[in-house]
Amino acid sequence: MGDESAGSSELLAARRRKLESLRAEGIEPFPHDFDGVEPIATVRAAHATLAAGEETTVSHRVAGRLAARRGQGKMAFLDLVDRSGRIQLQARADVLCPEPMERLLGLDLGDLIGVDGTALRTRRGELTLRVDAFTLLAKSLRSPPEKHHGLTDVETRFRQRELDLLANEEARELFITRARIISTVRRFLDQEGFIEVETPVLQPLYGGAAARPFITHYNALGREFYLRIATELYLKRLIVGGLERVYELGKDFRNEGLDPRHNPEFTMLEWYEAYADYLDVADRCERLVRAVAQAVGYAGDIDFSAPWRREKLVDAIRERTGVDIMQFRERDALAAEMQARGLAVPAQDSWPQLVDELLSKHVEPTLIAPTFLLDYPVELSPFAKRHRDAPGLVERFEAYVGGMEIANAFSELNDPDEQRRRFDEQRALAGAGDAEAQPYDEAFVQALEHGMPPTGGIGIGIDRLVMVMTGRSSIREVVLFPAMRD
């Protein structure tokens, strides 16, 4: 370990000596700009039909990081990498002159350079830029990670994502795909007549989901505030205000554990549309996810074609566990039935939490094909409208793909008196020890008293959607800088 550390220190010292030498020669190792750069992919596309051994007089300006070097003396080849790809550079002493040639070959892998070069294709068929001039754009003082090491050291990949991106082209492509997914979502909703809005991240009262919040102190107001756990209640107030179709893409925060599907800071899409119910929202959700799959060229085994499978929650639990939750509406009765069937019963869980235990442990892992799980008990859904045909249930669905929940939607509750009763029920659960129960939000109820039209709403987890579209099994793979334990 000591030898490795000493070696790293010597490499760092050698690079710093080069930095000092460049400055002594009057060369600025960190210039301000380098205008007119073309993406490498654009250069490659422009010469896609160039034959092996053919040269051109076409000049291009590219910039990127030195990734490889082969040869010395009068001719050498270097690889330059930018976000869009890689291109070979040909350095010739008779073109650059000896001193610039020596300076170019003296650069370190990882240095950022700008190049003016002329396109040609080598006799081996490799598109190449002959270097006519180059500029050092940033001296790299640390050695780039070895590609193999960067792919296998999970801690390094997640804690120092910049090294993962440097070493791993697949990682760069993943996050470009993530950006494309988000762009597709925005474009889809904009075309459907929705408007994008922004609501507070710091909130005087959290709500809209069953979760513990992060708490912070607002110095100017002298009181505690909460990082939002959902955007739901503010967005529905905008529906009351007449905006009719709204969506928000942004960060939510839930003070919960870390596992392959949960990161305390995550990206959520929520949309709400007036004059719609949860079945209308399900149809739009199908179309949105299919549009995303098409946009990113999804090539996995899951078929996102409509219609998706639809199954009722009560039936799904009964078929997989034998427990009919609607026959055991009290906490102790449900716990006894679960124990009688050999199922785990967390000691402190409330009735809604026990139902969620049955769902998450016994139903969710079986839902591989895109599936809408419909019609939940009212106790699990304090903001959903009562089911028009089934007593004790609400009009709610959760969408599952690959054994993982990706969305949650309601026919939204718009009766202010019923909402007050639901808040009272949540307050009772909180008093019984449920740390995830909804706090009472009088401002939201008063907004409903102004009248909210029939409304359908949904939340879609963007991180999980990216996991599905890229075939990743851990949320840490698709979040640039995930939360990490010490």
Side-chain angles (χ1 to χ4, degrees):
M1 183 70 178
D3 291 343
E4 181 180 339
S5 178
S8 297
S9 297
E10 176 53 35
L11 287 173
L12 181 60
R15 287 184 177 234
R16 284 202 169 273
R17 286 194 294 271
K18 288 187 179 182
L19 175 70
E20 294 165 3
S21 176
L22 288 167
R23 283 179 167 151
E25 294 176 36
I27 297 171
E28 172 52 60
F30 301 102
H32 287 76
D33 65 353
F34 190 69
D35 294 331
V37 171
E38 296 178 72
I40 285 173
T42 301
V43 176
R44 299 190 71 89
H47 300 285
T49 61
L50 196 63
E54 187 176 352
E55 298 193 12
T56 77
T57 59
V58 180
S59 181
H60 296 278
R61 170 169 277 204
V62 295
R65 197 176 291 272
L66 284 178
R69 181 173 48 236
R70 300 170 295 282
Q72 290 287 339
K74 295 183 178 181
M75 181 182 293
F77 292 92
L78 308 95
D79 286 352
L80 189 72
V81 175
D82 73 1
R83 188 184 77 183
S84 70
R86 177 183 295 248
I87 196 165
Q88 179 171 268
L89 306 176
Q90 181 194 72
R92 290 170 41 178
D94 61 339
V95 175
L96 284 174
C97 299
E99 186 176 338
M101 181 75 171
E102 181 181 357
R103 187 180 303 122
L104 176 60
L105 297 184
L107 294 176
D108 294 308
L109 297 186
D111 286 353
L112 287 151
I113 66 170
V115 171
D116 292 298
T118 304
L120 60 94
R121 194 174 292 277
T122 66
R123 285 177 298 200
R124 293 185 177 182
E126 181 67 26
L127 183 67
T128 302
L129 288 183
R130 184 180 64 241
V131 180
D132 300 320
F134 73 94
T135 303
L136 177 63
L137 300 179
K139 178 64 187 168
S140 175
L141 297 177
R142 293 185 179 273
S143 299
E146 296 177 13
K147 185 172 183 181
H148 182 70
H149 175 77
L151 288 171
T152 58
D153 187 343
V154 173
E155 287 292 308
T156 298
R157 289 182 56 223
F158 296 160
R159 291 185 188 278
Q160 295 176 272
R161 183 67 82 179
E162 66 277 10
L163 300 185
D164 183 31
L165 296 171
L166 283 176
N168 188 347
E169 185 176 347
E170 184 182 2
R172 293 197 298 275
E173 185 56 40
L174 185 153
F175 288 103
I176 292 171
T177 298
R178 179 186 173 107
R180 192 176 301 126
I181 288 171
I182 292 173
S183 297
T184 302
V185 167
R186 282 196 163 99
R187 186 164 53 252
F188 177 92
L189 291 172
D190 290 345
Q191 291 172 349
E192 298 274 316
F194 288 78
I195 62 169
E196 185 174 6
V197 297
E198 296 173 292
T199 62
V201 174
L202 286 176
Q203 301 179 347
L205 190 65
Y206 64 94
R212 297 185 183 187
F214 286 94
I215 305 172
T216 188
H217 187 78
Y218 204 137
N219 290 338
L221 298 179
R223 58 167 295 185
E224 288 185 338
F225 266 57
Y226 305 91
L227 275 68
R228 68 186 180 196
I229 61 173
T231 57
E232 177 175 348
L233 303 190
Y234 281 95
L235 291 176
K236 288 198 284 193
R237 288 165 70 173
L238 299 181
I239 296 292
V240 172
L243 293 186
E244 294 185 346
R245 288 191 179 188
V246 295
Y247 75 92
E248 184 166 8
L249 258 167
K251 293 289 188 180
D252 289 343
F253 308 85
R254 297 181 186 176
N255 203 346
E256 57 191 13
L258 297 167
D259 65 39
R261 296 180 181 180
H262 294 87
N263 193 61
E265 175 184 353
F266 57 98
T267 303
M268 196 69 153
L269 163 69
E270 292 195 39
W271 85 66
Y272 294 84
E273 51 182 306
Y275 316 116
D277 67 8
Y278 74 141
L279 298 179
D280 298 317
V281 173
D283 292 340
R284 199 182 303 278
C285 177
E286 284 177 339
R287 292 193 290 112
L288 170 63
V289 174
R290 187 166 65 253
V292 166
Q294 292 171 346
V296 302
Y298 174 77
D301 298 329
I302 296 172
D303 182 4
F304 293 103
S305 301
W308 293 5
R309 288 183 62 247
R310 301 192 180 203
E311 192 172 355
K312 294 185 183 297
L313 171 69
V314 174
D315 296 340
I317 292 176
R318 184 175 59 247
E319 289 171 5
R320 291 162 177 81
T321 68
V323 177
D324 187 342
I325 60 174
M326 301 307 287
Q327 296 298 315
F328 302 95
R329 299 302 295 274
E330 298 296 329
R331 189 266 172 205
D332 291 343
L334 179 57
E337 175 67 9
M338 291 170 64
Q339 287 175 332
R341 295 182 178 276
L343 304 174
V345 180
Q348 302 303 317
D349 276 9
S350 62
W351 190 88
Q353 290 172 323
L354 290 179
V355 174
D356 188 66
E357 170 83 5
L358 291 169
L359 167 60
S360 61
K361 296 293 177 57
H362 303 285
V363 178
E364 181 172 346
T366 71
L367 303 178
I368 305 303
T371 302
F372 292 124
L373 208 55
L374 301 160
D375 303 341
Y376 283 52
V378 64
E379 293 89 344
L380 274 70
S381 312
F383 299 110
K385 203 170 183 68
R386 287 190 181 273
H387 199 285
R388 66 197 77 184
D389 300 318
L393 301 180
V394 295
E395 296 190 348
R396 173 186 177 185
F397 73 75
E398 289 182 309
Y400 292 85
V401 178
M404 176 173 62
E405 178 205 343
I406 64 166
N408 182 28
F410 310 146
S411 294
E412 301 294 338
L413 177 59
N414 60 346
D415 179 340
D417 295 333
E418 174 67 12
Q419 184 64 76
R420 273 202 175 89
R421 284 191 291 272
R422 301 275 187 91
F423 276 139
D424 285 336
E425 292 168 0
Q426 290 292 304
R427 191 150 51 186
L429 289 171
D434 186 348
E436 296 184 348
Q438 294 285 327
Y440 196 106
D441 191 337
E442 179 61 24
F444 176 65
V445 176
Q446 289 183 13
L448 291 184
E449 288 179 330
H450 288 282
M452 187 175 84
T455 297
I458 189 170
I460 298 177
I462 293 296
D463 306 311
R464 292 186 181 183
L465 185 59
V466 175
M467 290 170 63
V468 169
M469 293 298 164
T470 60
R472 298 312 197 273
S473 60
S474 170
I475 196 170
R476 296 194 302 175
E477 291 276 358
V478 303
V479 174
L480 277 169
F481 297 99
M484 301 284 286
R485 291 185 174 90
D486 290 338

